[in-house]
């Protein structure tokens, strides 16, 4: 293999979850390729590993099926520009960190040109759009999967695959310390706390923040002593959420908005109201009762609900293969329904204990050294490459 100083590794992450996953992988790779050039599109977690972002990650961030249409030309132009650069550069490997709508198309073109491609985390073909496996077969040299049941899917499809465990299972302790999380946020250890997570992207906030604020208002009316913690992903999100809080007349309700600190916010909670996505798995790994909500543009919802293969949308329920926690989707995600479901989670002490055990078992099943496992898989690809 060539000296690590001569090796280029290209990576694209299009959103926060991909940045976190790729950051872990790059940490493992950096130990073996200390002088390699890591570049592409990514966020702060990747930058911590010496990654150089050729474009800001948020230029790619978009949510929903129809929401992408106004951005299609811009995103396609970015994809084509990046493709041309990489075809000229010929990196040792291209790694697509999630973001399949963008990355699989790019990977298909790079693989056809002889550049090895790794896709990190499987698209949810086990949940919907199973036909995408045909595109994956053409686009992906090696798939890295983070859920145990995904390995068999790719083995059957003839796609080389490695199960690496879920990085979150390493980052979150098996026995989280609630008192410590509360002290970190300045919250009394004896308080009753609901953490509210309407999403990190403005697209999510547009649909979920208002019903979530409505649920907070109803819960505070039931128990004025409740404390609410809301982690915010940025200034825009904070300003938007604050506006809704003021409009709802909640100036007297104890709502703590924190910048980031989502793990402290979850760790401090007695129950969590959370947007569907990776955050639901974080809540499960913190062993917290939760209510999952999901809303998108109406037209997107009509298509998505007919393309689903299973009755669950939240990751903890998908992994458990049953409704461990409530899911309130689209029109069902009303303030009243959300508040009632959270109240039930707060009030059901035996149910809380059962969830702790189920989520602990789930945690063990996802626990691997993901940085080491993923880096080892990528290194095997680099070493097998004719250009190495």
């Amino acid at each position: 293999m060539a000296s690590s100083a001569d090796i280029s590794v290209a990576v694209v992450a299009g959103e926060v979850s991909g940045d976190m996953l790729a950051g872990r992988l790059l940490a493992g790779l950096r130990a073996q390729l200390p002088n390699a050039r890591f570049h592409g599109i990514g966020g702060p977690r990747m930058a911590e590993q010496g990654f150089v972002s050729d474009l800001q990650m948020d230029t790619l961030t978009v949510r929903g099926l129809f929401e992408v249409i106004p951005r299609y030309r811009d995103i396609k132009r970015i994809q084509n520009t990046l493709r041309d650069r990489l075809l000229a550069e010929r990196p040792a490997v291209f790694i697509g960190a999630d973001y399949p709508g963008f990355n699989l198309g790019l990977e298909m073109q790079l693989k056809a040109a002889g550049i090895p491609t790794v896709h990190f985390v499987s698209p949810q073909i086990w949940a919907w759009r199973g036909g995408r496996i045909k595109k994956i077969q053409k686009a992906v040299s090696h798939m890295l999967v983070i859920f145990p049941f995904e390995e068999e899917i790719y083995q059957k499809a003839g796609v080389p695959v490695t199960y690496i465990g879920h990085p979150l299972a390493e980052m979150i302790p098996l026995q989280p310390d609630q008192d410590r999380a509360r002290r970190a946020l300045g919250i009394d250890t004896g308080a009753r706390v609901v953490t509210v997570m309407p999403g990190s992207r403005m697209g999510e906030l547009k649909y979920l923040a208002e019903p979530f604020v409505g649920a907070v208002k109803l819960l505070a009316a039931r128990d004025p002593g409740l404390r609410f913690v809301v982690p915010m992903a940025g200034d825009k999100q904070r300003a938007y959420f604050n506006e809704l809080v003021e409009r709802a007349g909640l100036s007297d309700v104890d709502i703590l908005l924190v910048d980031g600190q989502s793990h402290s916010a979850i760790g401090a909670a007695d129950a969590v109201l959370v947007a569907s996505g990776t955050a639901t798995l974080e809540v499960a790994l913190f062993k917290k009762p939760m209510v999952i909500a999901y809303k998108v543009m109406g037209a997107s919802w009509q298509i998505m609900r007919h393309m689903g293969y299973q009755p669950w949308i939240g990751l903890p329920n998908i992994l458990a293969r049953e409704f461990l926690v409530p899911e309130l989707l689209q029109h069902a995600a009303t303030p009243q329904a959300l508040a009632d479901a959270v109240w039930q989670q707060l009030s059901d002490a035996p149910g809380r204990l059962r969830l702790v055990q189920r989520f602990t078992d789930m945690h063990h099943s996802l626990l691997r050294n993901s940085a080491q496992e993923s880096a080892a898989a990528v290194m095997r690809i680099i070493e097998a490459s004719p250009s190495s």
Side-chain angles (χ1 to χ4, degrees), residues 105-171:
L106 181 58
E107 288 159 10
M108 185 179 292
Q109 297 174 83
L110 297 178
K111 185 183 177 189
I115 296 172
T117 58
V118 174
H119 196 84
F120 189 9
V121 311
S122 169
Q124 294 181 357
I125 55 173
W126 32 267
W128 69 307
R129 296 183 68 183
R132 191 179 264 189
I133 190 68
K134 295 177 181 178
K135 186 172 186 177
I136 291 170
Q137 289 168 328
K138 295 177 182 177
V140 177
S141 304
H142 201 100
M143 180 69 74
L144 303 179
V145 297
I146 57 177
F147 297 119
F149 64 85
E150 294 175 317
E151 201 169 23
E152 184 180 359
I153 295 171
Y154 287 101
Q155 288 171 344
K156 286 182 177 179
V159 178
V161 60
T162 302
Y163 170 57
I164 61 146
H166 203 296
L168 286 171
E170 298 169 82
M171 297 166 62

Side-chain angles (χ1 to χ4, degrees), residues 37 42 55 67-68 73 87 174 228 246 276 291 310 331 342 348 379:
R37 179 179 178 234
L55 198 67
E67 291 86 340
V68 76
R73 286 188 179 180
L87 288 176
L174 278 164
F228 299 91
E246 291 173 10
S276 179
V291 174
Q310 54 191 3
H331 301 300
V342 171
D348 183 6
M379 286 300 299

Side-chain angles (χ1 to χ4, degrees), residues 251-305:
S251 58
D252 294 335
V253 176
D254 196 341
I255 302 175
L256 174 64
L257 270 61
V258 296
D259 295 324
Q261 301 182 73
S262 61
H263 283 189
S264 291
I266 297 169
D270 292 301
V272 182
L273 175 58
V274 59
S276 179
T278 303
T280 63
L281 182 60
E282 293 177 286
V283 177
L285 293 173
F286 272 98
K287 324 300 183 298
K288 301 293 182 177
M290 75 187 88
V291 174
I292 298 170
Y294 184 77
K295 291 186 80 170
V296 290
M297 182 186 293
S300 294
W301 173 250
Q302 289 303 318
I303 292 175
M304 293 171 72
R305 73 190 187 95

Side-chain angles (χ1 to χ4, degrees), residues 1 39 71 75 107 144 155 172 192 203 218 224 234 299 337 378:
M1 189 178 74
H39 76 102
R71 298 282 320 282
I75 291 173
E107 288 159 10
L144 303 179
Q155 288 171 344
I172 297 169
R192 204 175 186 206
L218 293 167
V378 173

